Amino acid sequence: MTDRLGVGVIGTGGMGLRHAVNLDRAVARARLAAVMDVDLDRAREAAAGSGASVFTDAESLIASPDVDAVIIASPDPTHAPLATTCIELRKPALVEKPLAVTVDDAADIVEREVRVGERLLQVGFMRHFDPQHVTVRQVISSGGIGRPLLFRGWHRNPPEPVPPTSRQVLVNSAIHDLYSARWMLGQEVADIFVKGTTIDPSRSDQLDLQVITMSMDGGGIAVIEVNKDSGFGYEVGVEVTGTAGMVSTPPHHTPSVRRDGEIRQSVEPDWLARFARAYVEELAAWTGSVLDGHPTGPNAWDGYLTLTAASTGADSIEQGGPVALDTPDRPALYTSEG
Ligand code: ISE
């Protein structure tokens, strides 16, 4: 492997395109080696000016000798099969969340990685690299608020062209908050209960505003609000209460302007704006970890357990009450802290 990691990006829609641009311009130890999209024009556009090869077939990109590592940012149902190919070919990969669409597929990926005996996958829970979240986590882990007891998270989104189902809200969006709760509290989910309401009454079975309550296995509790149609833009934050104090992300990091009898502050339109820095930090950490051989950040085990919580949350909507989770023993491969 050269001193710069040759990365192939699969899927050049919103997230994949951002990763491709960041690799090309903002990550010193990486180079954009290849891009793939089923839409050839879109792939060409993403590669323009970078010298990256263009593919319309993901398997060929993964197998390319010029590709040292892969980013999987294609639609959710493709994540598991492509991650499996990467493991088979021993190509390190950053897989966008969710790791898989079904819990069985995620478990299968973990089994394969364990069999190979190498942590090849990192999962795209980018809040792990967001400076605000990192600071909150550092305060907690240094004992700054005593023993953490309660996690509160809020996650408000702009509407999507095709509104998600209640399950998709959990598996595609709230999964970030479930990861944050596990990470901040350092505990696993023991049970989960999701209640929701419908913003558009014509879609009575789509709960786009959900409140998630979880008991954690170390005695902590977590309460999360996720809204898929906020009406004002995008906003994510966390607050953790401990035995000796509280810590939270700052309310906003845009300037506040006083004028005409008002104090105004703008809100980011979407996650690409809000987490712009986190995406670069995530790629820099991943690139370094692959080149230096020290896996870091959210791994396949996190991808599996967090998906299990999200999926069980969807079951709890159907059942109308809390549903317990059994956390399997963590395989030795995943015991070192990333
Ligand atoms: C999107 O796929 C993301 O990953 C964003 O971070 C999240 O905020 C959004 O709700 C998801 O749809």
Side-chain angles (χ1 to χ4, degrees):
M1 207 181 282
T2 59
D3 53 348
R4 289 179 86 194
L5 188 73
V7 180
V9 176
I10 299 177
T12 57
M15 200 59 251
L17 180 62
R18 172 61 64 94
H19 286 317
V21 170
N22 283 343
L23 286 165
D24 192 36
R25 301 187 193 157
V27 183
R29 299 184 73 191
R31 71 186 164 85
L32 183 63
V35 295
M36 174 273 156
D37 202 289
V38 286
D39 178 337
L40 179 60
D41 289 340
R42 197 157 74 168
R44 281 192 180 132
E45 256 172 60
S50 69
S53 323
V54 172
F55 292 83
T56 51
D57 167 59
E59 275 74 20
S60 307
L61 177 144
I62 298 172
S64 164
D66 191 38
V67 169
D68 304 317
V70 177
I71 293 182
I72 302 173
S74 38
D76 293 358
T78 65
H79 294 183
L82 295 176
T84 303
T85 307
C86 288
I87 295 173
E88 273 164 11
L89 298 183
R90 309 288 191 274
K91 288 249 165 132
L94 173 66
V95 189
E96 270 307 328
K97 41 50 57 176
L99 174 59
V101 172
T102 68
V103 170
D104 284 350
D105 284 352
D108 181 64
I109 288 171
V110 166
E111 264 171 42
R112 285 170 190 269
E113 245 196 1
V114 168
R115 228 176 292 139
V116 165
E118 210 184 324
R119 265 163 60 173
L120 289 158
L121 305 182
Q122 184 176 314
V123 177
F125 294 122
M126 78 299 184
R127 295 181 190 176
H128 191 99
F129 302 95
D130 170 55
Q132 292 187 2
H133 282 74
V134 169
T135 309
V136 169
R137 167 76 165 128
Q138 278 164 353
V139 169
I140 298 169
S141 46
S142 66
I145 58 163
R147 186 165 50 85
L149 301 170
L150 168 65
F151 170 94
R152 265 187 262 245
W154 48 97
H155 181 182
R156 298 160 187 147
N157 288 264
E160 284 176 22
V162 180
T165 63
S166 303
R167 179 171 280 268
Q168 281 166 342
V169 172
L170 281 150
V171 167
N172 187 277
S173 291
I175 196 161
H176 282 293
D177 310 286
L178 304 181
Y179 175 76
S180 294
R182 296 179 51 243
W183 177 45
M184 294 287 171
L185 295 175
Q187 300 175 24
E188 296 302 346
V189 181
D191 71 35
I192 182 164
F193 181 30
V194 182
K195 278 190 156 195
T197 186
T198 307
I199 294 171
D200 177 348
S202 68
R203 304 192 309 262
S204 61
D205 57 343
Q206 290 180 322
L207 307 177
D208 19 36
L209 172 55
Q210 300 184 0
V211 177
I212 303 165
T213 310
M214 304 191 293
S215 311
M216 308 300 283
D217 65 357
I221 46 178
V223 182
I224 294 157
E225 169 203 327
V226 57
N227 183 347
K228 286 299 286 181
D229 188 354
S230 72
F232 66 83
Y234 187 74
E235 188 180 26
V236 166
V238 304
E239 178 183 85
V240 181
T241 304
T243 49
M246 295 173 74
V247 58
S248 55
T249 49
H252 292 285
H253 56 302
T254 53
S256 67
V257 177
R258 288 160 168 80
R259 190 176 167 157
D260 298 334
E262 285 184 344
I263 301 178
R264 296 186 68 105
Q265 228 176 348
S266 62
V267 177
E268 279 101 352
D270 57 25
W271 51 92
L272 292 177
R274 164 65 182 85
F275 289 109
R277 168 108 185 260
Y279 291 122
V280 174
E281 299 286 341
E282 176 185 46
L283 288 192
W286 174 65
T287 301
S289 79
V290 173
L291 287 170
D292 302 338
H294 301 298
T296 188
N299 54 41
W301 184 246
D302 292 309
Y304 162 59
L305 285 190
T306 316
L307 177 67
T308 305
S311 176
T312 310
D315 298 342
S316 97
I317 294 178
E318 276 157 32
Q319 295 177 23
V323 181
L325 278 86
D326 276 332
T327 303
D329 289 336
R330 181 184 289 261
L333 185 65
Y334 305 106
T335 47
S336 68
E337 171 77 8

